[in-house]
């Protein structure tokens, strides 16, 4: 398994001792984390977002298993070395961040998973594949704005730019290479306090019901909140609520 070096984007004071890594989902890019990255920077964090393999300006590769993405993340360290004080991941990026944290406990002090795609069955995988390829081949600013009229104009713009910049091969293989899509076995080994910010089950959450309950039961360091009315892209559907949950949790975890 070959790892790749991931391109970085940065928000905030690079000298801040509080360093966060932002990990996007399938068909997205580092730029699509801008609302969370900017919010963390405004709160005094040094926020670094990466383009995952096959996305944005990142190197292309022959494999796109979650374990490959996790290995790339483990190879991504803060400037000057050390440990990330926080890792925030969305969807498959959250699954990879969870696998990385469950593999190497020192990789992050805290973890936030935005509607994590920890386990997908075959129908869900095929739905993801169809949606990703359709967006890659035909998404426009007009079509995304019509589908998500409540999104910020920059979220619409970055969504279109990201899915077009991603390798079509990468989008396809990220589903086909993960025919056993399941990162839940790594969750019990996560040693960092972890917050799951889940989408509304009525709006297509990937972390809901019996699945969510079973995952939460495997590790007492995990807790979860649901963002009412938000779909899978909680950070774009409800950015203020998502950021509020994140910052409130961080402040609470820092209280002596």
């Amino acid at each position: 398994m070959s790892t790749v070096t991931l391109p970085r984007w940065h928000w905030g004071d690079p000298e801040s001792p509080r360093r966060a890594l932002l990990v996007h989902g399938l068909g997205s890019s580092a730029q699509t984390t801008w609302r969370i990255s900017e919010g963390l920077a405004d709160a005094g964090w040094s926020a670094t977002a990466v383009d995952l393999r096959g996305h944005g300006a990142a190197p292309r590769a022959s494999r796109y298993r979650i374990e490959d993405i996790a290995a790339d993340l483990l190879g991504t360290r803060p400037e000057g070395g050390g440990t990330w004080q926080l890792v925030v991941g969305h969807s498959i990026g959250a699954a990879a961040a969870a696998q990385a944290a469950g593999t190497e406990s020192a990789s992050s002090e805290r973890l936030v998973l935005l509607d994590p795609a920890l386990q997908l069955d075959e129908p869900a995988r095929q739905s993801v594949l169809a949606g990703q390829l359709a967006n890659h081949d035909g998404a426009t600013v007009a079509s995304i704005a019509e589908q998500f009229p409540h999104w910020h104009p920059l979220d619409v713009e970055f969504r279109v730019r990201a899915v077009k910049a991603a390798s079509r091969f990468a989008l396809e293989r990220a589903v086909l290479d993960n025919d056993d899509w399941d990162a839940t076995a790594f969750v019990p080994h996560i040693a960092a306090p972890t917050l799951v910010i889940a989408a509304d089950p009525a709006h297509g959450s990937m972390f809901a019901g019996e699945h969510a309950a079973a995952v939460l039961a495997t590790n007492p360091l995990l807790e979860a909140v649901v963002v009412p009315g938000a779909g899978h892209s909680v950070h774009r559907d409800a950015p203020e609520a998502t950021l509020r949950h994140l910052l409130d949790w961080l402040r609470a975890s820092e209280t002596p």
Side-chain angles (χ1 to χ4, degrees):
M1 177 176 60
S2 299
T3 59
V4 301
T5 300
L6 305 177
R8 303 178 181 215
W9 296 68
H10 186 265
W11 288 258
D13 180 3
E15 300 302 319
S16 172
R18 297 190 293 176
R19 299 174 294 183
L21 176 67
L22 286 294
V23 186
H24 65 78
L26 190 62
S28 292
S29 70
Q31 286 181 304
T32 66
T33 72
W34 73 279
R35 295 290 285 268
I36 302 298
S37 295
E38 188 175 271
L40 283 169
D42 288 344
W45 286 75
S46 172
T48 297
V50 290
D51 287 331
L52 296 180
R53 59 169 55 203
H55 292 71
R60 277 39 180 161
S62 60
R63 287 199 347 167
Y64 291 87
R65 287 185 55 78
I66 293 172
E67 66 192 66
D68 300 319
I69 302 171
D72 293 341
L73 296 179
L74 288 174
T76 304
R77 298 296 187 183
E79 296 294 338
T83 299
W84 297 106
Q85 279 66 54
L86 172 68
V87 173
V88 181
H90 173 238
S91 194
I92 193 174
Q99 184 158 339
T103 301
E104 186 177 313
S105 61
S107 62
S108 173
E109 294 181 5
R110 278 166 289 182
L111 189 63
V112 172
L113 308 177
L114 305 180
D115 206 48
L118 296 175
Q119 184 180 53
L120 297 185
D121 60 18
E122 181 64 16
R125 289 175 54 251
Q126 290 307 314
S127 177
V128 168
L129 177 59
Q132 289 292 332
L133 296 184
N135 276 332
H136 183 274
D137 295 342
T140 64
V141 168
S143 69
I144 297 298
E146 181 179 5
Q147 185 179 2
F148 302 103
H150 54 290
W151 279 15
H152 191 286
L154 283 178
D155 284 320
V156 173
E157 174 189 341
F158 290 152
R159 172 61 172 164
V160 175
R161 290 173 59 179
V163 76
K164 297 295 186 183
S167 160
R168 194 178 195 278
F169 176 81
L171 298 177
E172 185 175 45
R173 296 313 310 182
V175 175
L176 299 181
D177 287 352
N178 289 292
D179 57 340
D180 55 347
W181 190 309
D182 190 350
T184 59
F186 294 89
V187 174
H189 304 290
I190 294 174
T194 300
L195 174 66
V196 178
I197 303 179
D200 190 327
H203 292 267
S205 175
M206 290 189 174
F207 190 85
E210 293 181 359
H211 162 66
V215 171
L216 292 170
T218 66
N219 192 326
L221 292 175
L222 267 67
E223 58 185 287
V225 295
V226 174
V227 183
H232 180 55
S233 294
V234 291
H235 55 305
R236 291 181 281 217
D237 283 348
E240 292 85 3
T242 300
L243 186 61
R244 184 176 66 253
H245 284 305
L246 169 57
L247 294 179
D248 285 351
W249 179 75
L250 287 173
R251 282 190 287 267
S253 67
E254 290 172 348
T255 302

